[in-house]
């Protein structure tokens, strides 16, 4: 029998790392047939780095403040990741806008999770913006990363209702539970070769994914 080496993930973080933890757990349980080859933070004090170390993973910190330009920072990221030949690069609460220097070498193998119902609210402070607009629902979108910030094709989107008295914090708490469900599903599709980025569009099993992504439901697998 041919021994297929496991797929390799690289995960970029900036903070707490709860999404990273979900990937650590999914790789350990076999839900994802992958190893996490490296966890990189742009912030030295990111709590997620400790989660990674606790799980016995290789970690690195590439502090954006050590680089004069975004391109030089991105090149340092590329230099750290490229030798590992990751099958998939996961942005998990990563907070630096990436330039073509990073995106080109990983194009089609780069996913992000963004806490809004894209195309609504790209950028920062998404939950507060949804509340300020009086939206009845909020949510989260996994999407391919392209040059356009939070503008790459959506893969999966999960919605939650906004309830009376919601704050950005209470909403974020409900949304993050959904994040932890949909992100590993999208990653698994990609590792299985089912999810592709083609001509700037996302495809699952050869079929174009709708412009706001596949809507999450309980039987999605
Ligand atoms: N890069 C590209 N080219 N395309 C995307 O879609 C990206 C990306 C980099 C990060 C994540 C994104 C999010 O999900 C992401 C998607 C950071 C900012 C930001 O303004 C905006 C969106 C996202 C991440 N960052 C500030 C900056 O100057 C710094 C903010 C901070 O450090 O707190 O880079 O929301
Ligand atoms: C998540 O809610 C993620 O969607 C969001 O940050 C949080 C990270 O949490 N991402 C962004 O806002 C990207 N700009 P985590 O560190 O616990 O995974």
């Amino acid at each position: 029998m041919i021994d297929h080496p496991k797929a390799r993930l690289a995960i970029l973080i900036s903070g707490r790392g709860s999404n990273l933890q979900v990937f650590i757990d999914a790789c350990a349980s076999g839900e994802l047939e992958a190893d996490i080859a490296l966890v990189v933070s742009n912030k030295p004090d990111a709590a997620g780095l400790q989660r990674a170390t606790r799980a016995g993973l290789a970690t690195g910190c590439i502090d954006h403040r050590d680089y004069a330009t975004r391109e030089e920072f991105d090149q340092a990221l590329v230099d750290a990741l490229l030798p590992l030949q990751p099958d998939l690069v996961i942005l998990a609460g990563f907070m630096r806008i990436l330039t073509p220097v990073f995106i080109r070498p990983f194009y089609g193998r780069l996913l992000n999770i963004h806490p809004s119902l894209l195309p609504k609210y790209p950028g920062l402070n998404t939950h507060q913006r949804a509340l300020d607009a009086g939206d009845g629902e909020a949510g989260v979108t996994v999407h391919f990363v392209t040059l356009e910030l939070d503008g790459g094709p959506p893969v999966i989107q999960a919605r939650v209702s906004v309830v009376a008295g919601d704050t950005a914090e209470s909403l974020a708490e409900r949304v993050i539970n959904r994040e932890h469900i949909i992100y590993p599903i999208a990653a698994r599709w990609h590792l299985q070769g089912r999810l592709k980025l083609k001509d700037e569009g996302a495809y699952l099993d050869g079929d174009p994914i709708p412009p706001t992504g596949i809507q999450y439901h309980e039987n999605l697998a």
Side-chain angles (χ1 to χ4, degrees), residues 150-166:
D150 295 324
V155 177
I156 309 181
Q157 188 166 81
R159 322 176 87 84
V160 306
S161 296
V162 174
V163 301
D166 254 338

Side-chain angles (χ1 to χ4, degrees), residues 8-21:
R8 277 180 302 281
L9 303 179
I11 303 189
L12 305 190
I13 63 167
S14 298
R16 173 178 59 176
S18 72
N19 279 289
L20 163 67
Q21 188 67 54

Side-chain angles (χ1 to χ4, degrees), residues 15-20 51 92-95 112-115 123-124 127 140 176 179-180:
R16 173 178 59 176
S18 72
N19 279 289
L20 163 67
R51 294 180 192 264
F94 182 70
M95 296 307 293
N112 179 44
I113 191 153
H114 179 75
L124 305 176
H127 298 313
V140 57
I176 199 110
E179 299 193 21
H180 295 165

Side-chain angles (χ1 to χ4, degrees), residues 40-42 62-78 94 96-98 101-102:
V40 179
S41 172
N42 67 304
I62 299 176
D63 190 333
H64 60 278
R65 294 168 302 187
D66 294 340
Y67 299 86
T69 65
R70 286 187 188 267
E71 285 76 11
E72 286 168 70
F73 167 70
D74 281 10
Q75 188 59 53
L77 281 178
V78 171
F94 182 70
R96 296 301 296 176
I97 296 171
L98 295 161
V101 171
F102 185 83

